[in-house]
Amino acid sequence: MYTMETMRQEIAAAVEKVRALKPLAPSITNTVTVNFVANAQLAAGGTAAMIYLPDEAEALAEAGSSFYINVGTLLPIYRETVPLAAQKLHALHKPWVLDPVAIGIGSLRTELLSLLKNYPPAVIRGNASEIIALAGLWNLSGGTETSNVHGVDSTDTVQAARLAAISLARFTGGAVAVSGTVDLITDGRQAVCSYGGSSLMESITGCGCSLGGVIAVYSAVASPFIAALCGTAAYNFAGREAERHAAGTGSFQLAFLDALYNASPKDISLTQFTPEEV
């Protein structure tokens, strides 16, 4: 169990380690947001590589320090690519992050997310409805496969996903980050609510997807819980800072990447979060 002080110390240490080591965190991700994911990973201090082909997935799962799998905008070839990446990562005991974007839409997405239960990720990042639906698909407490997923948007509150998030974290032995107005991060033993961000984050594509990629970067140097908390705190800090300088959604995206790049370990570690009982 982490105290608040040790959480802040571990967050600052993770930020410093990433910037010193520049770990490679390859991604299979949403084609709508691939550029933003890569640039956010670079801004955080990591190294990005975007994967489509099965042989690339195996090779870079081995070469990378961690990995990110996002099931948005699936391509037919991902029926091969995603399982091969997950199997390789599992065999190598490497941390990876799952974003179950738009769970419940289409048979291929359901097939892949069902299969990934066999290769548990270190961190699951999603909105409340996605977390509830994934717990339901995996037959875990707090979940239902008929959750209110609406495209890539959530119609459930973060607190409504609390039990599902805890169940998923306990099943994987890792952590879950539920994104919303107030974010929830849990490893199944403890939980925190993280505050900050900006309402403009809902008006651009890629904030959630790129957060998953940045959490994957931090997963290369920190425990799943600290990686999820660090990525979320970094985003809440950068979102708040970017809103101060942005004239609209276009300049907000640029200001967000600048804020993420310029954020100090202290800036991120001191972002507001509070403990919750589990």
Side-chain angles (χ1 to χ4, degrees):
M1 297 286 285
Y2 295 95
T3 66
M4 291 293 288
E5 183 59 29
T6 57
M7 286 183 208
R8 296 194 187 282
Q9 291 172 353
E10 292 289 331
I11 288 170
V15 175
E16 291 174 351
K17 287 178 184 176
V18 160
R19 290 178 177 171
L21 299 174
K22 301 189 182 305
L24 173 61
S27 300
I28 299 168
T29 192
N30 191 331
T31 56
V32 175
T33 63
V34 62
N35 181 264
F36 194 21
V37 173
N39 282 325
Q41 290 181 311
L42 293 170
T47 305
M50 300 309 175
I51 312 304
Y52 297 92
L53 300 176
D55 59 337
E56 293 176 344
E58 285 194 296
L60 284 168
E62 186 164 357
S65 299
S66 55
F67 208 96
Y68 176 46
I69 297 178
N70 176 312
V71 297
T73 59
L74 289 173
L75 302 174
I77 199 168
Y78 287 172
R79 177 173 271 112
E80 298 177 60
T81 305
V82 169
L84 283 174
Q87 290 164 13
K88 189 71 170 181
L89 292 161
H90 185 71
L92 295 171
H93 305 287
K94 289 192 177 181
W96 66 281
V97 176
L98 172 64
D99 195 329
V101 174
I103 181 173
I105 299 176
S107 59
L108 176 56
R109 185 172 283 102
T110 300
E111 174 189 326
L112 291 175
L113 289 172
S114 296
L115 175 69
L116 291 176
K117 182 181 180 182
N118 299 317
Y119 311 103
V123 181
I124 299 167
R125 201 289 325 166
N127 66 39
S129 295
E130 290 164 347
I131 295 302
I132 292 170
L134 184 64
L137 183 64
W138 289 2
N139 296 311
L140 302 175
S141 298
T144 170
E145 291 187 58
T146 58
S147 178
N148 300 315
V149 177
H150 184 260
V152 298
D153 299 318
S154 177
T155 55
D156 292 289
T157 67
V158 168
Q159 283 301 315
R162 188 173 180 278
L163 178 57
I166 291 168
S167 297
L168 284 165
R170 288 176 176 171
F171 172 77
T172 62
V176 175
V178 189
S179 298
T181 304
V182 176
D183 306 300
L184 177 71
I185 302 94
T186 182
D187 64 358
R189 297 173 300 161
Q190 58 190 329
V192 298
C193 287
S194 180
Y195 304 87
S198 166
S199 60
L200 288 173
M201 296 169 84
E202 299 176 1
S203 299
I204 64 172
T205 57
C207 270
C209 296
S210 60
L211 172 56
V214 168
I215 290 174
V217 168
Y218 290 127
S219 294
V221 300
S223 70
F225 179 71
I226 293 299
L229 181 54
C230 187
T232 303
Y235 265 55
N236 281 333
F237 173 82
R240 186 175 65 246
E241 287 296 300
E243 186 175 11
R244 295 174 53 231
H245 302 286
T249 55
S251 56
F252 176 80
Q253 189 173 34
L254 294 176
F256 178 87
L257 289 172
D258 286 345
L260 186 61
Y261 177 82
N262 289 313
S264 71
K266 184 177 180 181
D267 288 333
I268 295 172
S269 67
L270 292 181
T271 300
Q272 183 186 5
F273 56 87
T274 58
E276 282 219 336
E277 291 186 6
V278 171

